[in-house]
Amino acid sequence: MRRITLTTILLTGAWLTGCEPTQTEPVTESDRIETVSVVAKAVDRPPVVRFTDITEQAGIDFVHVNGAYGERLMPETIGSGAAFFDYDNDGDADLFLVNSRYWTGQEGDDMPYQALYQNDGQGGFTEVTGEAGLKLTLFGMGVAVGDYDNDGWRDLYITAVGENRLFHNEGGRFREVTREAGVGGRSSDWSSSSAFLDYDNDGDLDLFVVNYVKWSRKIDLEIDFKLMGLGRAYGAPNHFVGTNSYLYRNDGAGRFTDVSQAAGIKVIDPGSGAPVGMGLGIVPADYDWDGRVDIFIANDTVRNFLFHNIGDGRYEEIGVFEGIAYDRDGKATGGMGIDVARYRNDQTQGLLVGNFANEMSSLFTSVGRGAPFADEAVLEGIGSATRLSLTFGVFFFDYDLDGRLDLFHANGHLEHEINKVQPSQHYAQPAQLFWNCGEACGRRFVEAIDSGGLSQPMVGRGAAYADIDSDGDLDVLITQNGRRAVLLRNDQELGNHWLRIKLVGVAANRDAHGARIELTAGGVTQYCEVMPARSYMSQVELPVTFGLGDFNTVEKLIVLWPDGMEQEVAVSQVDTILVIEQVLR
């Protein structure tokens, strides 16, 4: 695959190639967001696509340890996440898998640890955990990746039951810097997801950490949660007290400051005085296009949060007001994974939340570029198909490269014996893939049936995607609770064109978290925000993939950098990766 690097740019329509720029009219906001009547070619049934389980073939032998030994402690059911990221700067997606551990007193000779796998560029992986300095044991949950000091090397943050950990990437080897950075949290915390984001637009990445419930073994055993016919079972979160999350401001020189209180992200119930949040999933996104990063949180059995960034380092929680707090019936759901995208290729935004068994997934859609939202899961075609599944990892991605974003669900139950008391439920459940048919089907999404790796029952938790083998389409990784991770290679052969884009910030944070890319091909404009933290306790790869369908040219490509700079770039070739470096005016 040929790689193109662009350090020259189009400013107000002029390609700077060493010659004098041609004078053209500047690009306006209305030019960018105008809804185009031309639509991509659509048919009414999903194309034949196969995902092949290549886990063993690819060299991934990771098995998750959840620590379960009979007491049925709640943290055993929740983890864990995964991240695709280029840790060694060789241009391909490496893989980090989060592991938990045995409880104190249950340890054996074989201590589980986290795992880092190096990609050879063709989808083959070699474990390099020890060499990279990441062979550590903790009750891990999720992972976030971000170059917080803008040195060109992506750093790693691991959430856990207990203290969280931050590792600084020093040329492909990691050094723990948790205490000096001040981002460990408390030993009594149970953190779930996390995300690096530039919430104050100062050019460096800050850190948001989602906490779940106030938990201890003593509290868990005292609740003594039971299921009829099973005896003691794993407790539901609404039997526990909620928690507040953390927002750490990056102060430079490797130090962070906890600004949670001042930033307004602590949500307290006025009646009980206790924290409301029971957070599991996070996706930062500028949902109203005002140039500031907002934050969506999927909460488990309590209302979802939307933290609106109002500037000056402050947020306001407006989930109820904007319509994403509750499902279509006005109820709080067991929210797990979360993702957001403009999946209709217009200003409409969709917020996808994976929910508990017997609760359909929520698909909140906005009116125009901002809000309010309404849960349109049924109208959009995913309602009944997701009702029985217990869904954790979710994301939007264009699996067939036709130019329309599809949906992915990783599913799996908490209780091994759930089928004994609920015949419709199973511990291991197949993943689900929903194809976006545009307007051709009378509804937006149709479930795609894959006879390959997606059809196997899994105890799914985290899910992430990346082009692991440099063929342009997106492959999928699913973590399983207490089982092996599953790597699924996308073996579609539809002949659709594509373009992958990697941004390099200069005034903005180096990996351009929060930048918006607008690509027009065949008269249709696609919108994508660079934000790898999404799904469930996981991270997808940094490069953004645009499917182009039959179109082999790009009419317009605009990058809106997080610092407000607008940059137009000429695209001379598709079916490649385009590296765009920010050039200052």
Side-chain angles (χ1 to χ4, degrees):
M1 178 185 66
R2 183 181 176 189
R3 184 184 302 267
I4 298 176
T5 301
L6 291 180
T7 55
T8 51
I9 62 171
L10 276 177
L11 293 175
T12 64
W15 176 240
L16 305 182
T17 60
C19 303
E20 289 296 319
T22 302
Q23 296 297 317
T24 60
E25 292 296 320
V27 178
T28 65
E29 183 72 4
S30 61
D31 290 332
R32 290 196 303 269
I33 65 176
E34 180 182 0
T35 301
V36 183
S37 59
V38 180
V39 295
K41 181 183 73 175
V43 294
D44 60 0
R45 63 182 61 187
V48 176
V49 174
R50 183 180 178 87
F51 284 83
T52 304
D53 185 344
I54 61 165
T55 313
E56 183 176 351
Q57 171 188 335
I60 296 173
D61 56 0
F62 175 86
V63 178
H64 177 256
V65 171
N66 60 20
Y69 65 97
E71 286 193 322
R72 295 187 182 248
L73 301 176
M74 195 177 175
E76 299 164 3
T77 68
I78 298 300
S80 61
F84 280 115
F85 76 115
D86 186 4
Y87 89 96
D88 53 2
N89 278 345
D90 65 353
D92 53 41
D94 308 301
L95 174 62
F96 183 81
L97 293 163
V98 180
N99 211 346
S100 298
R101 58 166 298 168
Y102 301 109
W103 296 108
T104 301
Q106 302 298 320
E107 302 94 338
D109 295 333
D110 184 19
M111 293 294 289
Y113 54 86
Q114 320 308 302
L116 177 66
Y117 290 88
Q118 185 180 52
N119 190 345
D120 64 7
Q122 300 302 314
F125 291 84
T126 302
E127 189 190 337
V128 293
T129 314
E131 302 95 301
L134 292 172
K135 195 170 184 178
L136 72 151
T137 298
L138 75 166
F139 210 104
M141 286 283 136
V143 57
V145 178
D147 181 5
Y148 69 83
D149 56 353
N150 287 328
D151 67 351
W153 296 89
R154 287 154 205 95
D155 311 302
L156 190 70
Y157 188 76
I158 307 171
T159 59
V161 177
E163 187 181 26
N164 303 320
R165 308 292 183 89
L166 177 64
F167 291 85
H168 184 243
N169 188 344
E170 299 179 347
R173 182 171 176 82
F174 293 84
R175 177 174 64 91
E176 185 178 353
V177 294
T178 309
R179 296 195 182 279
E180 59 202 77
V183 294
R186 299 174 299 181
S187 60
S188 59
D189 287 338
W190 178 356
S191 299
S192 52
S193 294
S194 56
F196 283 100
L197 70 161
D198 186 2
Y199 87 100
D200 51 4
N201 284 348
D202 65 351
D204 56 29
L205 292 176
D206 312 294
L207 177 63
F208 195 103
V209 180
V210 181
N211 289 321
Y212 189 31
V213 296
K214 182 180 179 181
W215 181 90
S216 70
R217 178 177 175 273
K218 181 176 182 293
I219 294 172
D220 201 328
L221 294 176
E222 285 177 348
I223 292 174
D224 197 23
F225 189 79
K226 295 181 183 298
L227 277 178
M228 186 177 297
L230 289 184
R232 177 163 170 81
Y234 290 109
N238 54 7
H239 290 77
F240 295 82
V241 176
T243 60
N244 283 310
S245 297
Y246 297 132
L247 176 59
Y248 295 103
R249 185 187 64 216
N250 188 341
D251 294 332
R255 288 288 306 174
F256 291 78
T257 298
D258 183 351
V259 295
S260 309
Q261 184 70 45
I265 67 160
K266 292 188 174 183
V267 183
I268 304 298
D269 180 83
S272 66
V276 174
M278 297 181 179
L280 284 177
I282 181 173
V283 58
D286 180 8
Y287 84 97
D288 55 356
W289 283 3
D290 65 356
R292 297 185 292 266
V293 179
D294 312 297
I295 300 168
F296 293 96
I297 303 290
N299 282 312
D300 193 357
T301 71
V302 298
R303 72 178 195 262
N304 300 318
F305 293 158
L306 168 52
F307 289 108
H308 179 227
N309 191 333
I310 58 177
D312 299 324
R314 294 180 298 129
Y315 285 91
E316 57 178 348
E317 201 287 296
I318 57 172
V320 173
F321 180 74
E322 297 290 36
I324 63 96
Y326 304 105
D327 70 3
R328 63 191 299 270
D329 297 319
K331 298 178 181 179
T333 60
M336 311 289 184
I338 189 168
D339 197 8
V340 65
R342 300 187 186 273
Y343 66 90
R344 294 178 181 170
N345 291 340
D346 60 15
Q347 298 178 54
T348 303
Q349 182 136 275
L351 177 71
L352 176 66
V353 179
N355 292 320
F356 203 78
N358 302 311
E359 298 173 341
M360 67 182 70
S361 293
S362 297
L363 181 54
F364 301 99
T365 61
S366 68
V367 179
R369 71 167 70 176
F373 292 82
D375 187 355
E376 296 186 357
V378 173
L379 295 176
E380 292 288 65
I382 69 169
S384 60
T386 61
R387 184 178 293 279
L388 287 180
S389 303
L390 201 169
T391 300
F392 282 87
V394 297
F395 51 70
F396 291 92
F397 77 140
D398 187 358
Y399 77 89
D400 59 346
L401 301 176
D402 66 351
R404 298 184 298 271
L405 291 174
D406 313 298
L407 302 181
F408 183 86
H409 285 55
N411 304 319
H413 212 281
L414 308 181
E415 293 284 353
H416 295 73
E417 300 175 296
I418 189 63
N419 185 250
K420 293 181 179 180
V421 294
Q422 294 185 31
S424 64
Q425 288 296 317
H426 298 274
Y427 181 53
Q429 304 174 4
Q432 291 175 289
L433 182 65
F434 294 90
W435 177 63
N436 184 341
C437 67
E439 304 296 337
C441 307
R443 60 191 186 279
R444 180 68 53 168
F445 293 101
V446 177
E447 188 167 6
I449 305 302
D450 173 65
S451 60
L454 289 180
S455 64
Q456 61 182 305
M458 289 178 274
V459 188
R461 294 297 186 263
Y465 61 78
D467 178 9
I468 64 168
D469 47 7
S470 305
D471 64 353
D473 57 31
L474 295 172
D475 312 292
V476 174
L477 185 285
I478 303 173
T479 66
Q480 295 195 83
N481 183 268
R483 299 186 178 187
R484 71 182 184 100
V486 179
L487 181 62
L488 301 170
R489 185 182 63 210
N490 187 343
D491 286 333
Q492 65 86 24
E493 296 179 343
L494 301 172
N496 289 328
H497 296 288
W498 48 273
L499 182 65
R500 288 166 53 77
I501 297 171
K502 171 70 173 68
L503 301 182
V504 181
V506 178
N509 66 87
R510 187 175 180 88
D511 283 329
H513 289 222
R516 187 166 82 242
I517 304 173
E518 302 176 1
L519 180 148
T520 302
V524 176
T525 300
Q526 300 180 52
Y527 305 88
C528 186
E529 191 166 338
V530 179
M531 189 57 68
R534 56 188 66 235
S535 182
Y536 176 77
M537 300 188 186
S538 298
Q539 284 227 171
V540 303
E541 64 173 356
L542 262 175
V544 171
T545 296
F546 288 96
L548 303 177
D550 290 337
F551 303 114
N552 59 9
T553 59
V554 172
E555 294 146 28
K556 182 182 290 187
L557 177 64
I558 295 174
V559 179
L560 291 97
W561 296 90
D563 62 356
M565 176 184 171
E566 180 183 310
Q567 180 171 329
E568 187 172 345
V569 179
V571 178
S572 60
Q573 182 181 350
V574 300
D575 301 330
T576 188
I577 186 166
L578 187 64
V579 180
I580 303 174
E581 183 176 331
Q582 182 182 19
V583 178
L584 305 181
R585 290 188 178 93

